[in-house]
Amino acid sequence: MRKLLIVALVALLAFTSFVSCSKGSAEKDTFTVGICQFVQHTALDAATQGFKDALKGEFGDKVVFDEQNASGEIPNCSTIINGFVSKNVDLIMANATPALTAAASATDTIPILGTSITHYGTALEIDNWTGVVGTNVSGTSDLAPLDQQAKMILEWFPNVKSVGLIYCTAEPNSIFQIEEVERVLTSLGVNAKRFSFTDSNDIAAVVQKACDETEVLYVPTDNTAASNAELVINITLASGTPVFVGEAGNSAGIASLSISYYDLGVTTGKMAAKILRGEADIKSMPVEYTQATKMYNPEMCAALKITPLAGYEAIK
C-alpha cells in the first residue's frame, strides 16, 4: 500500500510539473521587459511610449519595464544590454540600430525586438535579406519608400540642381538610406553630394559646408542628426536652405514622407505580447512595417516663406 502511495505521489508531482510547464510564460506573475533607447528625441520617445502603452494594454500591472537611455553613446548600449542579460529579463526592446546590434551581440536566447530600425539586413549584416532574421531577433522597421522621398524633393523644387545628403557615418542604416536616395536623385539628373559627420561635434561645420555648396538638404532617419535638430535649424535658416527629412520627428525639415513612430511602437508592443504569451516563435516572425504619410512642418515652411504643397498633412 505504501509503495502504491509513493508511486501515486510521484505521478501526481510529474503531472503537476507538466501542466505547469505547458501553461507557458503567460502564467507568470510578472514579465520584466528591458528597454534600451539609443538617444532621446521625439521619434524614438514616441516609439518607446507606443511600445509601453501596447504592453500595458495587454498585461496591465503584470509587465514591468526596466527603461534606460544610452544618451547617444554606442558603448552605453552594450552596458545597458549586458545588465538586462545578467538580470535575465523576459524580453529586450532595442530602440534604434546601435541598441539592436548591442542586444544581438549580447544574447542569443532572450527575445529581442527592435524598433525604429531602418533595414535589419544592413544593421545585422545579413546578406540576401528576406524579411525574417531567423534568430532571437525580430521587430519593426521605420523605413519609408526611399525612392518616393527622393522624388518628393523634386516635387517641391522641380528645378533643383544640387542636393546635399547629410548623415552620420557611425549609423549603418543612415548610409543605407543615403545610398538609395543618392541613386534615385542621380537617375533624375540631380547632383547629389554627400556630407558626412562622425559624431555631434562635427555637425555644425558639415551642415554649414552643405548649405554653402548645395541648394537643398536631405537628412535620413539619422538619430545623431535628429537629436541635434536645433543646431541644424539655426544654420539652415540663416542660409535660407530648405531641408527634407526621413521622419517627421526631426523638426529641421520642411517636409517628410514619414511614419508614426508611436504606431510603430504599438506594433512592436503587440509583437512582444505574442512572444510573452507563447503565441509566436520569434525565430519565424517577420519584421513588420507601418504606413508612411506625406507631411509638412508649418513652422519651418513659414520661416523659409515656402508654401506647403497640396496633399501634405501638417505635422502637429
Side-chain angles (χ1 to χ4, degrees), residues 15 94 178 208 228 293:
F15 176 74
I178 289 298
Q208 185 61 64
N228 288 274
T293 303

Side-chain angles (χ1 to χ4, degrees), residues 7 56 77 80-81 97 100 113 123 154 176 186 192 216 249 275 300:
V7 171
K56 279 292 185 182
C77 290
I80 292 168
I81 295 295
T97 299
L100 179 71
L113 287 177
L154 289 170
F176 168 79
T186 301
V216 176
I275 294 167
M300 289 300 292

Side-chain angles (χ1 to χ4, degrees), residues 4-238:
L4 288 174
L5 287 172
I6 292 173
V7 171
L9 180 60
V10 171
L12 178 62
L13 289 172
F15 176 74
T16 302
S17 176
F18 171 77
V19 171
S20 176
C21 291
S22 67
K23 286 182 178 180
S25 60
E27 294 300 316
K28 291 184 62 173
D29 290 334
T30 59
F31 299 105
T32 301
V33 175
I35 297 176
C36 178
Q37 181 174 317
F38 176 54
V39 69
Q40 184 174 5
H41 68 70
T42 304
L44 300 191
D45 292 349
T48 292
Q49 191 61 54
F51 176 79
K52 291 166 61 179
D53 288 350
L55 272 183
K56 279 292 185 182
E58 295 281 350
F59 295 110
D61 293 336
K62 284 187 67 175
V63 62
V64 176
F65 300 107
D66 184 349
E67 182 180 351
Q68 299 188 47
N69 195 297
S71 301
E73 299 292 334
I74 292 176
N76 289 347
C77 290
S78 295
T79 302
I80 292 168
I81 295 295
N82 287 334
F84 293 159
V85 174
S86 65
K87 294 175 184 177
N88 195 29
V89 298
D90 296 294
L91 184 141
I92 295 171
M93 192 277 265
N95 194 344
T97 299
L100 179 71
T101 54
S105 297
T107 177
D108 59 5
T109 55
I110 298 174
I112 300 165
L113 287 177
T115 195
S116 314
I117 312 298
T118 303
H119 192 265
Y120 282 74
T122 300
L124 300 175
E125 299 182 348
I126 301 172
D127 294 330
N128 302 316
W129 168 244
T130 63
V132 177
V133 177
T135 65
N136 62 319
V137 177
S138 188
T140 56
S141 170
D142 60 1
L143 181 64
L146 294 172
D147 59 335
Q148 294 180 37
Q149 287 195 1
K151 293 174 182 177
M152 180 179 65
I153 298 172
L154 289 170
E155 186 180 3
W156 284 67
F157 299 102
N159 299 317
V160 67
K161 299 299 181 185
S162 60
V163 175
L165 309 176
I166 309 292
Y167 66 103
C168 180
T169 55
E171 299 191 34
N173 278 314
S174 294
I175 298 171
F176 168 79
Q177 294 170 81
I178 289 298
E179 289 175 344
E180 180 63 16
V181 170
E182 180 183 51
R183 183 189 66 79
V184 175
L185 287 174
T186 301
S187 71
L188 296 173
V190 177
N191 177 25
K193 184 174 182 179
R194 299 189 191 190
F195 297 87
S196 64
F197 54 90
T198 56
D199 56 40
S200 58
N201 295 321
D202 301 331
I203 291 180
V206 169
V207 172
Q208 185 61 64
K209 181 176 174 62
C211 289
D212 293 341
E213 297 182 9
T214 58
E215 303 166 74
V216 176
L217 305 186
Y218 170 80
V219 181
T221 54
D222 185 290
N223 294 299
T224 309
S227 61
N228 288 274
E230 287 301 319
L231 177 60
V232 176
I233 289 170
N234 291 338
I235 296 170
T236 55
L237 284 184

